[in-house]
Amino acid sequence: MPRPFLQLLLALALGLAASYYWEPKAGKAPDPETTARQQSLPKNYLENTRTWSYDEQGQLSEILEAASAEHFPQRNESLLEQPRYYSHHGDDRTWSAQATRGRYVHNEELLILRDGVDLTNDQTGGKLTSESITLNLVKKTAASLVPVLITQGPHQTRADGMLAHLDLEQIRLMNNVELSLIHISEP
């Protein structure tokens, strides 16, 4: 028998024997720390995102946009960078909100804004500033349990917190309300 044929026959026999005795097993599951790290990662990541919501009559009711959004389905929430929110209530009654960062809780429809939050009544130009505001998009309310500053023209009002009904254009201030007049010097 020629030598190459014998080598081929030997390789084939070794291959058959290896396939007969080889039992591949699934890799072992990652340790709990690795699993926890994998669960904490976002499943979707968007840049320069914008969503529009319409009411039952087909009228624009709100816009939510952000420089970036990370969606975490296991917590059913999204982390937002530089979020901006616009609420429309007919008759050109609109509110705008912006912040450095935020979190949107999908199942409760809560938009939680943090760091340098501005809430503006677009018709009057009145601006409410705080470090934290929670917007309930179903109830059309905005609430803050930390100090707020409201600026309307030359007037400033400070309070320990507030609750605003955006659709009614009403703001209820919490404790320690202080009103002051800004002195504007003309050039």
Side-chain angles (χ1 to χ4, degrees):
M1 229 184 240
R3 191 172 185 127
F5 179 72
L6 189 58
Q7 289 175 345
L8 182 64
L9 189 60
L10 181 62
L12 184 62
L14 283 174
L16 288 173
S19 67
Y20 179 76
Y21 289 106
W22 185 44
E23 294 179 27
K25 295 179 181 159
K28 71 176 197 171
D31 60 273
E33 293 172 359
T34 301
T35 302
R37 282 193 306 273
Q38 289 172 341
Q39 291 291 325
S40 68
L41 296 174
K43 298 300 178 207
N44 299 307
Y45 181 82
L46 301 170
E47 289 189 14
N48 298 320
T49 181
R50 178 182 288 173
T51 61
W52 296 271
S53 297
Y54 296 89
D55 63 17
E56 294 81 21
Q57 290 77 33
Q59 300 295 318
L60 180 64
S61 61
E62 56 194 25
I63 300 171
L64 177 59
E65 56 187 31
S68 66
E70 296 176 326
H71 182 241
F72 297 84
Q74 62 275 18
R75 299 188 315 237
N76 201 22
E77 68 181 28
S78 296
L79 297 181
L80 309 170
E81 289 296 322
Q82 299 175 350
R84 294 169 303 281
Y85 172 75
Y86 307 96
S87 175
H88 300 268
H89 301 285
D91 297 331
D92 294 327
R93 293 180 298 148
T94 62
W95 291 81
S96 302
Q98 63 182 15
T100 302
R101 60 189 177 93
R103 182 167 53 106
Y104 182 68
V105 183
H106 295 271
N107 57 348
E108 297 177 32
E109 292 191 49
L110 294 176
L111 178 60
I112 303 163
L113 301 175
R114 299 280 189 262
D115 299 335
V117 183
D118 290 331
L119 177 64
T120 305
N121 182 311
D122 296 327
Q123 286 63 55
T124 66
K127 182 191 279 187
L128 187 143
T129 304
S130 182
E131 286 303 307
S132 174
I133 292 178
T134 300
L135 295 152
N136 185 319
L137 306 184
V138 174
K139 295 180 180 179
K140 305 293 184 199
T141 60
S144 180
L145 299 175
V146 298
V148 297
L149 172 67
I150 299 173
T151 306
Q152 177 73 44
H155 303 282
Q156 283 189 335
T157 306
R158 297 177 192 280
D160 286 345
M162 66 86 194
L163 174 64
H165 293 275
L166 303 178
D167 55 347
L168 302 174
E169 295 186 324
Q170 295 176 350
I171 298 175
R172 180 181 303 143
L173 299 174
M174 303 295 181
N175 300 330
N176 299 320
V177 177
E178 177 185 315
L179 178 64
S180 60
L181 185 62
I182 303 170
H183 298 287
I184 302 173
S185 60
E186 305 235 358

